[in-house]
Amino acid sequence: MDRRSLTHEILSQLPLAQQVSGTTAWGTLGTIKSYLGFDAESDLQHLVEAIAGADHGAILDVLTNRTNAQRQQITKMFQALTKQVMGRALGAALSGNLERVIMGLLKPLAQYDAHELRVAMQVRWAGPAPQ
């Protein structure tokens, strides 16, 4: 059995794959879906009010129920309307782990991945030198 077919066999048994017409469609069972009632203007208004009142629940509700692409739209609209960076405004209203999570949610996917890889490599190389 060649390596590719073994990998395919193993992956086919995972719940990540869905059989469609005899072929496997990878990634069809993801949990992050576009928010159907998405309205960047409305979300922005809720966020501005939540930031002003330091309403952590409202901030979490909006940002964790939107896809990264939707969050990027909200971020751009925030900057265009307020002439401020949304991350800085949210950082002033949040702290600790919640602030780190929200800042991660605001980053574009590639930037977030690069940041996490950099942190992981720093941790790896900060350990004792191999002998």
Side-chain angles (χ1 to χ4, degrees):
M1 178 178 285
D2 71 51
R3 181 177 240 186
R4 198 172 83 179
S5 59
L6 176 61
T7 303
H8 180 75
E9 182 181 335
I10 292 168
L11 290 174
S12 297
Q13 294 176 21
L14 293 175
L16 302 172
Q18 180 178 22
Q19 294 292 329
V20 180
S21 304
T23 62
T24 304
W26 303 107
T28 55
L29 299 178
T31 58
I32 301 173
K33 307 282 187 217
S34 293
Y35 186 73
L36 297 179
F38 177 65
D39 178 13
E41 237 175 88
S42 174
D43 286 348
L44 180 60
Q45 182 179 3
H46 289 294
L47 281 172
V48 168
E49 292 169 5
I51 291 168
D55 184 353
H56 298 171
I59 293 168
L60 279 169
D61 185 50
V62 171
L63 295 178
T64 60
N65 287 299
R66 306 302 182 268
T67 63
N68 189 276
Q70 291 171 333
R71 287 190 299 269
Q72 297 311 310
Q73 282 183 302
I74 294 167
T75 301
K76 286 178 186 170
M77 187 177 284
F78 182 91
Q79 189 163 1
L81 292 175
T82 66
K83 307 297 184 225
Q84 294 179 325
V85 176
M86 192 160 104
R88 288 192 187 129
L90 282 166
L94 305 171
S95 64
N97 290 333
L98 180 60
E99 181 182 6
R100 282 194 293 280
V101 167
I102 295 299
M103 292 304 123
L105 287 173
L106 293 180
K107 291 179 182 177
L109 292 175
Q111 185 182 359
Y112 179 78
D113 288 345
H115 174 265
E116 291 301 306
L117 283 170
R118 189 176 311 117
V119 168
M121 288 185 289
Q122 287 173 348
V123 169
R124 166 67 174 102
W125 296 112
Q131 296 189 12

